[in-house]
Amino acid sequence: MSLRTLRRDTITKPLFKWAARVMPPISETERDAIEAGTVWWDGELFTGNPDWNRLLAMSPANLSAEEQAFMDGPVRELCAMVDDWKINWEDRDLPREVWDFLAKKKFFGMIIPKKYGGLGFSNTAHSEVVRTVSSCSVVAGVTVMVPNSLGPAELLMDFGTDEQRDYWLPRLADGREIPCFALTSPEAGSDAAAMTDTGVVEYGAWQGERVLGVRLNFHKRYITLGPIATVAGLAFKMYDPENHLGRGNELGITVALLPTLAAGVAYGERHIPQFTHFQNGPLYGRDVFLPLDLILGGEKQVGKGWRMLMTALAAGRGISLPAQSAAAAAICARATGAYARVRTQFNVPIGMFEGIRKPLADLAANIYLIDAARRLTNAALDDGHRPSVISAIMKFHATERMRDSVGKAMDIHGGKAIIDGPRNYLGSQFRSAPIGITVEGANILTRNLMIFGQGAVRSHPHMLKEILALSDEDEAKGLDAFDKVVWRHVGHAFAALWRAFVRGWSGGRIGPAPGGAAMPGYWKLLSRYAAAFALVADLSLLTLGGGLKRKEMISARLGDILSELYLLGAVLRRFEAEGRHEEDRPIVDYLMRQGQGRIAVAFGGVLDNLPARWAAILVRLAAFPMGISAPAPPDELTGAVAEMLMKDSPQRDRLMPGIYLGEGHEQHPLKDLEHAFRLVTAAAPIEKKMRDKHLYDPQEARNKGVISGAEFEQIAEAKAAVDIVIAVDAFPMEDISPIAAQHRRKNTAAAGAPGAPRPRGSEAAAGPAADQ
């Protein structure tokens, strides 16, 4: 008997039986979700000893010359065609000429290879296009995003038959077909496997012939582009009660290519998502017959729909929603910094108040972090990775930081932001923020169950192999596989304990950092946290087993640590990749201190609530002997970061590149704001000259010879531009409410007063009377 056999039969076997009891077998649906996509940097983080040099060595996410030309040409043309206020409040849709332009320029075929008539763009280009278009209009951004994200095109490229690709992809690329993806139903939201939409295998009539196919009955909702789609990727549960396919009755979740003009399909109704009028609505089907040829991927892909969806989401979640979030965060940061500079109260720009500077600094930090992580994730996707755990991290944290940015921007703008009208550049971002939070995996679910829950199994060096061994129907084979991997896991756990001890007791001074890095202390700090994370993750899995699924708050905090390690690594990498701009150092310092605080809170929450107290004590003694430090950015640093948004500088443009600021429109609120911002900053030396003499009235300063006539005119020009910016819209009562207008006419007639309504305009146009 070999030593390994002796170990397996005497030591591993009892472990195997214990583990089988505490770790419930995974369902086929769970297995599909776990095995979807690939492991990338998340795997490095779970080792507790990430190779930071590997992260820095990654190729940057760059655009090709063709992609840049598309950004500079059709993308900018599209933005100039779009009037976001008119889309949402008057037309309730994109104009016909915009739809035609999108099809003509192949916006719907960005990800489709050139051989099928698409543009064949990279993931980076896809992200940049969605980001820029979303910065001018959320509706336009969603419309461009959906055909290039989760939908028939991507699924066809990954899973379709040659015949399906040859037919459908050229038609999708040039806009002859408008796609949608129909997954969610009333019974199945986050739990998509609970869907009651069915397809029964039987013979039926199709184009005059009797063929074998599926009889579909379904009710889908929240389907973006559903009201106008010509083809839907339809997810349903497939059954074969007569065993035509020879595989039994329950065949599993399957995806079909559904022509929406097929008999029995009903569509065209619209939902209104937060008064953001992109095309979205329900899709119904009753006794709809499709041939098996329209099963996506053909008969061999029957029952594999869930894996298709999870594989597509593994990439899609990391591109489109982070791109839209980056657009919103950039608009909020740029506009709010400018507004805080031009808007004065008590004769001081409001951005000078410390209470304003803290949210301003958060706005700058959010956009730097979102873009750092977005570009890193895009680079990984362009390298061929499909990191499902990283995509979940990106989806959650990009949309949450976007929501935080929108809220802070609204607070700083005050009344300017809450009065809707063509002059309001934040209203659409505010209304649409909950949409990104909810779609493609609601954020509560993503944080509590997916990031660590999926990562612990998929990204851990050994856990998936152990679970598969425990789930093996051949117990002897499973035991042998378990014996091979469990002792490697034991070695990994002891290595994590040792690393956590050394790095913890040295205060993070001992630990790996990339050679020649500009901020080695921060890299070493992340190495310390990575070792502590690997240790606490293993102890949580050991002591809770399958019960960790039900300890959602512990799982969420572990996911928070994993996420911060990825996001902060992306921040440090961005600083290195962009050439170590010294003026960006304060924002990196700010983010690293913020991140340390978040990591400390998460570690504390896990260790305070871990049921196995011995495990919590062990982690505290090994990794945090002096307690868990939770620093916050000091006030001076906060002020320096806030100042970045209020200076007209190349740094401001570099931090928020590529967003649409009204070019091509004669009038646009962001264009007006940028104009006023530049005039005000240019006039700043003149205002300082006045303040030094305790003068705040330009006319008085001119009369006293403190400023020249030319300087007076410069101040007046800036003041006029600011008046346009701070003005809000006002509408004739008849436009708002005919009922109220009718009452007003009756009241004014009874009082003998003229009742003519004022013309539609704004405070700036109406003059002082508007305030009376």
Side-chain angles (χ1 to χ4, degrees), residues 592-670:
M592 293 305 295
R593 285 175 175 267
Q594 267 194 339
Q596 283 178 258
R598 291 188 177 109
I599 288 174
V601 169
F603 267 121
V606 172
L607 298 178
D608 287 346
N609 293 280
L610 196 63
R613 300 314 303 153
W614 66 267
I617 293 169
L618 175 61
V619 174
R620 288 188 185 276
L621 288 174
F624 305 107
M626 302 301 173
I628 307 174
S629 175
D635 294 348
E636 185 177 354
L637 177 62
T638 299
V641 174
E643 194 69 25
M644 295 176 183
L645 299 183
M646 295 191 292
K647 287 183 177 178
D648 186 14
S649 66
Q651 182 193 27
R652 179 172 177 261
D653 293 331
R654 181 166 45 77
L655 291 178
M656 296 162 285
I659 56 175
Y660 182 70
L661 298 172
E663 306 92 336
H665 280 92
E666 186 175 342
Q667 289 185 319
H668 191 282
L670 286 174

Side-chain angles (χ1 to χ4, degrees), residues 71-130:
M71 292 292 301
D72 296 338
V75 171
R76 290 285 162 179
E77 290 179 57
L78 171 63
C79 291
M81 296 171 68
V82 169
D83 182 335
D84 194 57
W85 168 262
K86 197 168 184 293
I87 289 168
N88 284 308
W89 293 85
E90 296 178 10
D91 297 340
R92 311 289 198 260
D93 193 8
L94 293 172
R96 182 70 259 169
E97 59 269 22
V98 171
W99 282 105
D100 293 341
F101 184 82
L102 291 171
K104 179 181 178 182
K105 298 298 182 180
K106 299 189 177 180
F107 277 84
F108 300 145
M110 288 191 296
I111 66 169
I112 295 175
K114 290 183 178 180
K115 71 175 184 177
Y116 295 110
L119 296 176
F121 281 176
S122 64
N123 295 292
T124 295
H126 172 190
S127 175
E128 293 297 338
V129 170
V130 170

